Amino acid sequence: MRGITPTPSADPDGGTAVDVVGVTKQYGPLVAVDDVSMRVATGEVYGVLGPNGAGKTTLLRMLFGLIRPDSGTIGVFGRTWEESGVRTLDDVAGFIESPRFYPYLTGRRNLEGLGLLDGLDADVLATRIEEVLDVVDLTGRERDKVGGYSYGMRQRLGVAASLLREPRLLVLDEPANGLDPGGIRDMRALVKRLAASGLTVLLSSHHMDEVEEICDNVTIMKRGKVAFHGTLGDLRAMAPDPGHLLRT
C-alpha cells in the first residue's frame, strides 16, 4: 500500500497549519461559536470534539470560507480570508458533513470529474487516481457505481477525492459518523496512515473513543465555547478517581 507525500510549499507562519483567534459566529440570539481560539501545528492530528450542536461544523465551515465569522480571524498556513481570499485554501482539502457524489457514475468517473474541475492535468490525474484509490482501500471497486457503495465506502471515496490535490492539510467533519464498528476501525486506520505520511489532519467528532488513539491534541467544545484544550492524557489527569458502587 503506497503512502501519500504532501507537496512541500512555503509556510510563512512556521510550524502552524491552522490558527483560529477569537472567532465568533452568531445567528440571531444563538451564538453558534463563541470566542473560540485554537492552534493546529503542522504535521499533527488535531481533534475538535463535542456533542451535536456544539459548534464544530460551524467552525469548519468558517475555515473553508463557506460562512464568514462575525469577529476574529482564521489563518491557514499563514494566510487569511481577509488578505488572501480563495488562495487561503491552497494546500487544503476535505469535506463538511458527508461527501456527495453522482450515484449513477462509477467511483473513478466521480474522481475524474472532480479532478478536472480542480484544474488537474488529465495525464497526471489518471496516475493520481490510482494512488488515492490504493490509499483508501478502494482499488478493485473503482468501476462500480457509487450508488452501490456502502456508507463507509462513500466516506473513503470522499477522502480519496480530497487527496487528489495533494493537500498539506486534510479537514474531515465527523468522518466516522454513521459507520458501523468495522467502518470506524477502517476510518481510524486510514487517518493513522495519512498522519504517518506527514499530512496535517483536522477532524471533528462527537465520540471521544473514535479519536483517542489518533489525535495529538484536542479542543472540546460545548455550546459554542471551548471547554478544554490539550491532550487526551491531560484530560484524563484532570478527571476524578473512578468510583465503584456495589449493589446487592
Side-chain angles (χ1 to χ4, degrees), residues 106-202:
T106 65
R108 173 179 286 278
R109 284 295 189 186
N110 272 282
L111 293 180
E112 287 173 351
L114 290 170
L116 292 173
L117 284 172
D118 204 25
L120 297 179
D121 178 82
D123 293 333
V124 173
L125 179 59
T127 301
R128 189 66 186 156
I129 287 175
E130 296 295 337
E131 292 177 351
V132 299
L133 286 170
D134 182 62
V135 169
V136 302
D137 290 333
L138 284 177
T139 300
R141 299 299 304 273
E142 69 273 17
R143 300 191 184 281
D144 296 344
K145 291 183 178 180
V146 172
Y149 280 16
S150 68
Y151 187 79
M153 291 172 66
R154 289 196 296 272
Q155 292 289 89
R156 284 186 280 136
L157 188 64
V159 175
S162 301
L163 294 175
L164 284 176
R165 58 171 19 210
E166 299 184 86
R168 298 171 61 211
L169 170 65
L170 180 64
V171 181
L172 304 175
D173 184 23
E174 303 209 29
N177 190 30
L179 299 182
D180 59 21
I184 293 173
R185 182 183 63 247
D186 292 343
M187 183 60 69
R188 184 185 294 138
L190 173 57
V191 172
K192 283 183 178 180
R193 293 200 302 271
L194 296 173
S197 73
L199 188 66
T200 304
V201 182
L202 172 60

Side-chain angles (χ1 to χ4, degrees), residues 6-71:
T7 302
S9 67
D11 183 358
D13 202 29
T16 301
V18 179
D19 193 14
V20 179
V21 181
V23 168
T24 296
K25 182 63 180 179
Q26 186 167 349
Y27 297 98
L30 174 65
V31 183
V33 175
D34 191 355
D35 193 26
V36 169
S37 296
M38 69 179 196
R39 177 168 292 180
V40 180
T42 302
E44 77 171 326
V45 180
Y46 199 102
V48 181
L49 304 178
N52 291 331
K56 306 184 300 297
T57 296
T58 300
L59 180 63
L60 297 185
R61 285 181 181 276
M62 288 188 283
L63 187 152
F64 273 113
L66 299 174
I67 54 178
R68 297 296 176 90
D70 296 326
S71 61

Side-chain angles (χ1 to χ4, degrees), residues 230-243:
T231 68
L232 289 173
D234 294 336
L235 182 61
R236 292 191 191 95
M238 294 168 57
D241 293 333

